[in-house]
Amino acid sequence: MIALALLLATGAQEAGIDWTALPALPYRAPPVVTQGMHDFAHREVRARKCPLPKVAGPSQTMSVELALLVDGSGEVRTVVPRAIDCPTVEQYAAGLTAGFARNNLLPRSGAAEQWFKTTVTFTWRK
């Protein structure tokens, strides 16, 4: 099952995703990014594993866009992060998003698989 998800994700990345055409992920309740989650992204930047994000005021932010394939029953089949030149934070955001979506999506009409998008933003003080 994991191998299938990786193949799907790889295929989606190779074929390209039209990020502008994807509808927003229909959460029942908005996800909460905890302080520990923000701290993880900050540590990755501080360790020079990621490029420094743009500075806006007294804080820094790093956002990761994600595409999710959701099956007809509302289960996430795969998550594809949009590359930001920071693989650890990209994969971290993908894992968080899969967890945020678990049992937290609005029901959809029809049973077909569908792609959605969402963004996870990490923020910390400079």
Side-chain angles (χ1 to χ4, degrees):
M1 181 59 81
I2 293 174
L4 176 60
L6 289 174
L7 280 173
L8 288 171
T10 302
Q13 288 173 332
E14 289 173 6
I17 296 173
D18 182 359
W19 294 87
T20 60
L22 297 178
L25 190 63
Y27 286 117
R28 285 182 196 267
V32 176
V33 180
T34 67
Q35 187 60 50
M37 296 170 188
H38 293 289
D39 292 345
F40 174 82
H42 185 205
R43 283 192 305 272
E44 293 300 296
V45 169
R46 245 190 0 233
R48 303 276 186 221
K49 295 180 183 176
C50 303
L52 289 172
K54 295 177 183 172
V55 177
S59 61
Q60 291 180 308
T61 63
M62 175 181 284
S63 294
V64 181
E65 289 181 290
L66 303 119
L68 293 86
L69 180 62
V70 178
D71 69 15
S73 66
E75 297 294 320
V76 174
R77 304 303 296 161
T78 192
V79 180
V80 179
R82 192 171 194 174
I84 60 168
D85 198 24
C86 186
T88 55
V89 174
E90 293 165 19
Q91 291 305 308
Y92 183 62
L96 289 176
T97 301
F100 292 155
R102 192 170 294 115
N103 300 317
N104 189 28
L105 297 180
L106 293 171
R108 300 182 291 122
S109 59
E113 291 184 331
Q114 185 176 352
W115 285 93
F116 294 94
K117 68 179 172 185
T118 192
T119 302
V120 176
T121 299
F122 303 101
T123 305
W124 59 89
R125 288 207 149 312
K126 293 191 275 183

